[in-house]
Amino acid sequence: MQHSSTAPPRASSRQMRWSNLQRRWAPYVFISPFFVLFLAFGLYPTLFSLYMSFQSWSQTDGWGHWKFVGLENYSFTLTDPMFWRAMYNTLWLGVVSGLPQHLLAIPLAFVIHMGLSRFKTFVSAVYFLPYITSTVAVALIFSTLFSTQKGVINQTIAYLNTLPLFGWFLPDENINWFLNSTIKWGIALVVVWKYTGWNTLLYLSAIQAIPRELYEAASVDGATRWQQFRFVTLPLLRPMMFFAVSLTIIGNMQLFEEPFVLLNGGASSATQGGQTVAMYMFRTAFEWLEMGTAASIAWILFAFIAVLTIINNLAFGRAAQGRGE
Amino acid sequence: MKKTAVVLLAALALGGMVLAQKKVITVGIFPNLDDAIKAQLPGFNKLYPNIEVKLVTLQYADHHNALTTALATGQGLHDVEAIEIGFVGRFAEGQGFEDLNKPPYNADLYKKLFTPYTIAQATSSDGRFIAMPVDIGPGTFYYRKDILDKAGINPASMMTWNGYIEAGKKIKAMDKNIFLIANAADVAWINIFATVGAGEGYYFDKSGKVIVDSPRFVRAFELAKQIRDAGLDAKIGAWTNEWYDGFKKGTVATQFSGAWLQGHLQNWMAPETKGLWRVQQLPEGLYGSWGGSFYGIPSASKNKAEAWTLIKYLTTNRAAQIAAFKAIGAFPALLSAQTDPVFEEGVDFLGGQKARVLWREAARKVKPVEANKYDRVANEIISTALSQVLDEGKDIKAALAEAKTLIERRMR
């Protein structure tokens, strides 16, 4: 097998074997970092958590003191009122903080693309900023804003109350945002604030990929801006919508940092009202030291995400593919 | 003969080298207990020049999380680990720490030297004693003298819960922006923590049965609700900016807490309120404890002898305990340290009041409470029940009954 004219004319058989070996194995060596990392930090923990979900184990017992309990962890979690409360919170937050992200991001992306094309980079950078800001900093700022006595939000409401017309729908007293019944709205607000920019960027990139001619043809036909948005942009955005909504579903089902920091890591009295499944799992594992139960929560959450993604695929994905072609 | 002498000499030389060599041990610790130990170490080094102590300081939560993970894997444990009261119960139930009852530690010899209830805190349900107490937090009743004076209230009248609530109403009538207490829930908690029957736990009886629907809890919840319904509390959560603000601006007239709150108020929360605060014992003859720290030796430690030497010094040496007290105000767990003249001194921040004598008395009257593996879960569940009662108007009996089933479920 001659592949190079500059190869030495008479290589020894040992050299031949070495170069053969190199040729055969080099690709594997080069690609191995991924597999090594994946095995160590992806596959192994995943399988181990599956194993763990059938065991009873507490960290303070030390390595190896596992006790096989079969499906007990699963049956416990699935009948646990605290788990279902956390699941309800998660789904509630998923809808209340997920939907507005997209309802805001799509028109915003359209406006930026159509109206602000010259400042597009600047504006999208501004919108993207919340996404890359540290969650801890964000939650600290927001807990100050939400503060019952001194918070800007309550003070604004109090000020608006002094104006005519506003009084009838605004509450008279300061709202305590850190109650079981109200904390979810606060968390939802933070999540919307943080992730709308990310979605805007996704939609903006999709809008930019829509051929100009379609809009030109539409305006030749006398279509207004609104009609262009409704009949050109929206249908062509469907594949991106499918993608972005999938990401939102997965992200919101795993929501952790924002509620965790806002609820003071579980020290707040409103913890139960804002606790998501991911947070509940964390606390089961590291506060109450029930690793097996926590592992079962992880797998139940995984099943939920899988089902929701499949539903999203059925509802959105197929239609998106159909229209996209 | 000559040969033996040579061997003997060599052995002696070797032994001498080993002795001369410094042994380095590590201590896993959190702020500001690390400031206490830094104040104690010079004395230790003088006594034991061959042991060098290295501190590994992490933030409070990080330290305990890292410690939990280290125990799980048996890797990365320090020779001595500091444990805060909130964690000592669950570490006691696990298998990761040395049982100090056993030789060579024989901690039984030292147990009577400490404030009695701390021993129970560090003892597991099967009788293992896993850590030595270093400081404690006797419960106390803080009040703003200036506010009570202005409202014409005699602090002694607040020594019953009825009197306490009446005083709150007077304060509210005087100035509706001043609240009796930051959060009504605090009153429920001190009643829960300070009314434990002998040999019981906070949430469990002697046989481990859940007792959160007992009259103890009902009464605690009722008192809190009475205060909330009368609009006497500021509805502020502890350790929030508003909490500090309430102390700073004098919008909160009283607070129940561990004696350590004085140090926090003085050092950073509200230094400008110096001289305005006073303390007294808790109402209705209650005595409770808030906080406390311990030192334990992980079974995986390689320098157990040196670790024990250090722990013994930190916890049973009177001078060391007083050094820590002077450094950070950590109330000594060691009984003999509590008789130091410094306790008779007045506390400037409390208007020169001899508060330490009062705290010492409280510490001696706190009864031992049995720790339970499920204390933290129960605490969370009761805390939720309490916020349902206070914030959402749920019926007390119903909330407690529900909490009971939730706790029982977790104790499978």
Side-chain angles (χ1 to χ4, degrees), chain B residues 35-359:
Chain B
D35 289 329
I37 202 173
K38 275 177 208 155
Q40 293 168 310
L41 279 181
F44 177 76
N45 289 332
K46 224 176 266 168
L47 280 177
Y48 304 95
N50 290 336
I51 304 177
E52 190 185 333
V53 180
K54 269 198 182 150
L55 300 183
V56 182
T57 309
L58 286 176
Q59 285 306 309
Y60 171 77
D62 295 338
H63 166 75
H64 290 99
N65 280 341
L67 178 52
T68 311
T69 313
L71 283 170
T73 57
Q75 300 291 319
L77 287 158
H78 305 292
D79 296 312
V80 173
E81 294 282 2
I83 309 169
E84 208 263 352
I85 181 79
F87 293 82
V88 74
R90 50 175 154 167
F91 288 146
E93 293 309 322
Q95 308 293 328
F97 280 94
E98 289 286 287
D99 180 3
L100 303 178
N101 283 330
K102 292 201 178 121
Y105 313 108
N106 301 316
D108 260 333
L109 296 171
Y110 308 101
K111 282 181 181 172
K112 60 178 183 305
L113 303 178
F114 298 109
T115 303
Y117 68 86
T118 58
I119 303 298
Q121 288 173 333
T123 303
S124 71
S125 44
D126 56 2
R128 286 171 300 116
F129 179 62
I130 61 119
M132 295 274 273
V134 61
D135 62 47
I136 56 175
T140 189
F141 177 176
Y142 286 88
Y143 61 88
R144 282 283 295 258
K145 188 174 184 299
D146 55 330
I147 297 175
L148 295 200
D149 283 351
K150 223 168 117 193
I153 298 162
N154 176 4
S157 76
M158 295 172 102
M159 292 299 277
T160 66
W161 289 117
N162 278 337
Y164 181 72
I165 293 169
E166 286 313 309
K169 287 177 182 162
K170 269 192 207 164
I171 293 169
K172 197 188 176 191
M174 175 188 76
D175 184 342
K176 71 174 177 49
N177 290 320
I178 301 181
F179 295 96
L180 176 61
I181 189 166
N183 201 317
D186 291 351
V187 172
W189 284 117
I190 70 153
N191 273 281
I192 291 168
F193 286 150
T195 56
V196 182
E200 283 184 351
Y202 292 131
Y203 315 95
F204 305 91
D205 72 4
K206 283 177 195 133
S207 54
K209 264 176 40 197
V210 186
I211 48 168
V212 300
D213 55 349
S214 65
R216 229 180 90 209
F217 281 82
V218 176
R219 161 116 160 113
F221 273 48
E222 276 169 358
L223 283 172
K225 193 167 166 47
Q226 239 178 306
I227 291 169
R228 172 63 56 87
D229 288 350
L232 303 181
D233 74 323
K235 303 184 196 170
I236 295 171
W239 308 107
T240 59
N241 283 327
E242 294 190 300
W243 203 53
Y244 313 144
D245 211 53
F247 293 141
K248 242 180 232 156
K249 303 239 168 85
T251 53
V252 168
T254 71
Q255 182 65 40
F256 301 101
S257 159
W260 41 259
L261 184 67
Q262 181 250 317
H264 289 289
L265 284 171
Q266 175 182 314
N267 293 337
W268 57 281
M269 276 184 195
E272 57 273 42
T273 59
K274 183 179 171 185
L276 301 178
W277 293 91
R278 296 290 184 279
V279 294
Q280 57 184 351
Q281 299 292 11
L282 302 177
E284 305 200 342
L286 298 182
Y287 295 96
S289 100
W290 273 260
S293 320
F294 300 81
Y295 287 116
I297 307 174
S299 302
S301 161
K302 293 201 174 63
N303 304 305
K304 287 178 192 144
E306 289 79 9
W308 178 237
T309 308
L310 175 66
I311 291 181
K312 249 193 333 198
Y313 177 81
L314 296 176
T315 57
T316 64
N317 185 302
R318 191 164 179 262
Q321 286 264 302
I322 289 161
F325 182 60
K326 284 185 177 152
I328 64 163
F331 207 88
L334 188 71
L335 290 169
S336 65
Q338 295 173 4
T339 58
D340 190 84
V342 73
F343 280 82
E344 308 289 337
E345 284 171 20
V347 180
D348 284 346
F349 189 79
L350 302 172
Q353 191 185 1
K354 289 188 177 171
R356 289 162 186 167
V357 188
L358 188 114
W359 292 334

